[in-house]
Amino acid sequence: NMCTGAAYCQMIHMLWPNKLPLKKVKFDAKLEHAYIENWKVLQESFKKLHIEKDIPIQRLVKGRFQDNFEFLQWFYKFYTCNDNGEHDGYDPKAMRGGAGNIGPSAGRSPAKRSVAPAKKAGAPAAAAVSNVKRSGSNTNSNAEVKRLQGELQDLTLTVEGIEKERDFYFGKLRNIEELCQDKEGDETHAEFIAQVLEILYATEEGFGGPGDEIEGEEEEEEQEEY
């Protein structure tokens, strides 16, 4: 759901309602071109707020785990630094006209999180966003705000667990690779080692090497600019 960009737009609108036109956000977006429009709305709000953060739109809309996880981590820290907890009257669903469902699925309890205390006037939130100022006060109910905050933290904890598991198995594969490389000159097991390395280096659609992914992304960006 995060690759659509809609949830990020809602969170920015909650902090600075005058800086993001929520009516332009497509909460029911199902196609990639609609996701791109949402990200561009977010990008424009960043410019208005003087937030120096590059949004890799072409990578995020693909829904790849690593790209979206990295942006989610940054946004979580950014939101936490700028949130003063004054959302008692903010009703996210009403603000978006009842469209979409970007909260957690029914029956799922979001992770609890304490609301950050209000920041002192003039104190910088973070190096990249020190010149961002809150505009206007927020009004409406706190219930769905907590759901959104809970989902954000829940997603962060989930991806952290997946990342640890990924690193564990990657370490195992790396050990196998080094063992095979050490034995490459051994004619006794040459065929077996070649088969193992062939499996380790095999790729499939959507899981190419880093070089292939970067090259593909550059081609996509060139096509969009054209």
Side-chain angles (χ1 to χ4, degrees):
N1 289 339
M2 304 308 290
C3 70
T4 70
Y8 295 111
C9 289
Q10 179 98 64
M11 301 294 272
I12 289 294
H13 182 265
M14 184 162 55
L15 294 177
W16 300 285
N18 297 329
K19 299 297 182 180
L20 189 145
L22 207 59
K23 291 182 179 179
K24 290 185 178 181
V25 180
K26 299 174 182 178
F27 288 95
D28 295 312
K30 301 294 182 184
L31 300 175
E32 192 173 300
H33 69 84
Y35 301 167
I36 292 174
E37 292 302 314
N38 287 345
W39 284 106
K40 286 183 177 179
V41 172
L42 183 69
Q43 197 171 50
E44 285 301 313
S45 72
F46 275 21
K47 289 179 182 178
K48 292 177 183 177
L49 292 162
H50 305 291
I51 300 173
E52 298 177 0
K53 173 65 178 176
D54 179 51
I55 303 177
I57 297 176
Q58 287 301 321
R59 296 205 300 270
L60 293 169
V61 296
K62 298 298 182 184
R64 296 190 187 106
F65 167 78
Q66 188 63 32
D67 295 322
N68 280 273
F69 172 60
E70 288 174 1
F71 190 82
L72 177 63
Q73 279 187 314
W74 174 85
F75 190 86
Y76 178 73
K77 293 175 182 177
F78 166 80
Y79 181 88
T80 303
C81 287
N82 288 279
D83 177 28
N84 67 3
E86 297 176 359
H87 310 303
D88 291 344
Y90 189 89
D91 186 348
K93 193 169 185 178
M95 287 293 180
R96 61 178 183 264
N101 181 20
I102 58 176
S105 57
R108 184 179 181 182
S109 301
K112 293 184 179 179
R113 153 181 191 271
S114 58
V115 179
K119 301 283 186 302
K120 293 182 179 180
V129 293
S130 60
N131 56 351
V132 177
K133 296 181 180 179
R134 183 172 305 278
S135 55
S137 58
N138 299 316
T139 53
N140 296 318
S141 169
N142 207 8
E144 193 166 351
V145 173
K146 290 183 178 180
R147 292 179 62 192
L148 288 170
Q149 293 172 337
E151 183 190 18
L152 193 61
Q153 186 171 17
D154 194 31
L155 285 170
T156 302
L157 293 173
T158 299
V159 292
E160 283 177 356
I162 294 173
E163 197 171 47
K164 287 180 181 178
E165 186 175 357
R166 178 204 65 190
D167 293 341
F168 172 78
Y169 288 111
F170 178 80
K172 296 285 186 184
L173 292 171
R174 180 61 181 151
N175 290 339
I176 294 172
E177 180 187 34
E178 290 176 350
L179 181 62
C180 289
Q181 289 173 343
D182 290 341
K183 300 292 183 179
E184 275 188 307
D186 187 351
E187 295 297 331
T188 308
H189 306 290
E191 185 178 351
F192 174 74
I193 291 172
Q195 290 176 347
V196 173
L197 290 175
E198 184 179 357
I199 294 172
L200 286 175
Y201 297 149
T203 60
E204 58 183 82
E205 186 177 354
F207 292 90
D212 297 336
E213 184 175 328
I214 293 171
E215 182 179 348
E217 289 166 0
E218 289 176 349
E219 289 177 359
E220 289 174 0
E221 290 176 358
E222 287 176 1
Q223 289 176 0
E224 185 187 10
E225 288 177 0
Y226 177 75

